[in-house]
Amino acid sequence: MRLATWNVNSIRARVDRIVDFAVREHIDVLAMQEIKCKTEQFPFAAFEEAGYHVEAHGFSQWNGVAIASREPISDVRTAFPDMPGFAKGHEGPDAPQEARALGATVGGVEVWSLYVPNGRALGDPHYDYKLHWLKALEEYTRSALAANPELPLALVGDFNIAPTDADNGDPSVVAGFSTHVSPLERDAFAAIEAAGVQDVVRPLVPTGFTYWDYKQLRFPRNQGLRIDFIMGSQALADGVTGAAIHREERKGDGPSDHVPVVVDLDLEPVDDDDRPMFW
């Protein structure tokens, strides 16, 4: 299975480019974030004509997530347990949920397309929302893997966190003063790792950014951030045979400000008892 994640920054603005990438790179499962449309506005036909099943979850021109797969998609969920919501001027546990998570089972893998809240600014209510959201994701990850330690679990998407200083090449993002690099956000990312998942791309692609702001020539200057990840349980990590960050997708006409992150998986079980016996 070739699994990819991509913050597409408006699916309707880039559908031809995205489908072309998926077909050209033989992507089996593509998790998308920031589709920026209602579910019924998603360009399903373009993906279906290319041989993909699609599930999408979106409410408006903001946020939104989707999964396209060459294999059937089952067990679709639009939130993980206790995922908090957010609305301006609306605080408390009953705040409406945003379209930031889509979970499904594809080829035996539990895949979550995740668009973690941005946080906006330290001290902003959206920053607290981000931390609560990450805490709920940590708790779900821990409980899911406690219930099934052999589960191939993939948490993929735009985490809006640069977990290490090496993941931050943007001079406007300053540790201690900016979201994405604050100690609490990095601690939250580490807590999700401690719950049982790991960055399955970094061992094969140790350096490289996945996002560059459109302003200030950030891309040609390579002043980016590594904030898009494929986090996998041990069962998933054991099957990784290749990985790539497709930097070239930031070039050309009308690119997203993010690029795809891809892993190759070989999750075929090997059972000695199933081998033929000879006498």
Side-chain angles (χ1 to χ4, degrees), residues 14-278:
R14 301 181 171 85
V15 59
D16 292 341
R17 179 172 188 152
I18 295 159
V19 172
D20 175 75
F21 168 81
V23 172
R24 171 171 29 93
E25 296 297 329
H26 307 287
I27 304 300
D28 297 301
V29 182
L30 175 61
M32 293 165 273
Q33 304 84 43
E34 271 202 284
I35 62 172
K36 293 186 175 180
C37 66
K38 296 178 182 179
T39 302
E40 60 268 25
Q41 296 173 318
F42 190 95
F44 291 98
F47 284 88
E48 291 167 353
E49 289 169 6
Y52 289 92
H53 306 272
V54 182
E55 293 289 341
H57 176 47
F59 293 138
S60 65
Q61 73 273 28
W62 309 110
N63 310 321
V65 283
I67 297 173
S69 170
R70 292 197 179 277
E71 296 189 41
I73 301 172
S74 63
D75 191 25
V76 177
R77 289 167 280 174
T78 57
F80 46 82
D82 300 319
M83 190 178 91
F86 183 84
K88 187 175 181 180
H90 190 144
E91 298 182 3
D94 59 340
Q97 287 187 345
E98 298 180 300
R100 293 186 174 274
L102 184 65
T105 299
V106 181
V109 178
E110 182 178 320
V111 179
W112 284 89
S113 180
L114 303 170
Y115 180 41
V116 176
N118 178 282
R120 297 179 183 168
L122 304 185
D124 190 285
H126 207 260
Y127 180 76
D128 292 335
Y129 164 52
K130 180 178 189 175
L131 296 177
H132 292 151
W133 203 95
L134 290 164
K135 181 63 177 177
L137 179 61
E138 173 207 336
E139 291 173 351
Y140 172 70
T141 302
R142 181 174 288 107
S143 64
L145 293 176
N148 183 3
E150 300 304 314
L151 174 67
L153 174 65
L155 307 179
V156 312
D158 179 358
F159 280 71
N160 271 316
I161 299 171
T164 75
D165 288 343
D167 299 325
N168 176 22
D170 187 330
S172 68
V173 179
V174 182
F177 297 92
S178 306
T179 60
H180 295 59
V181 294
S182 72
L184 290 179
E185 289 165 289
R186 287 179 167 179
D187 287 349
F189 189 94
I192 292 171
E193 291 181 298
V197 294
Q198 58 192 279
D199 181 348
V200 299
V201 175
R202 198 181 295 270
L204 298 173
V205 190
T207 62
F209 303 130
T210 64
Y211 162 87
W212 296 260
D213 197 303
Y214 290 124
K215 302 186 294 291
Q216 302 296 320
L217 298 175
R218 291 288 187 242
F219 181 67
R221 292 172 175 168
N222 200 30
Q223 296 174 339
L225 296 168
R226 188 170 184 149
I227 56 177
D228 302 86
F229 298 97
I230 297 178
M231 309 293 290
S233 62
Q234 191 62 54
L236 188 104
D238 288 344
V240 173
T241 60
I245 295 173
H246 285 256
R247 189 179 188 276
E248 294 297 306
E249 290 300 321
R250 185 59 172 78
K251 300 178 181 180
D253 295 333
S256 172
D257 44 3
H258 296 249
V259 296
V261 179
V262 179
V263 293
D264 289 312
L265 300 169
D266 182 358
L267 299 176
E268 291 291 328
V270 176
D271 188 344
D272 288 344
D273 291 338
D274 290 338
R275 293 178 181 177
M277 292 182 290
F278 300 94

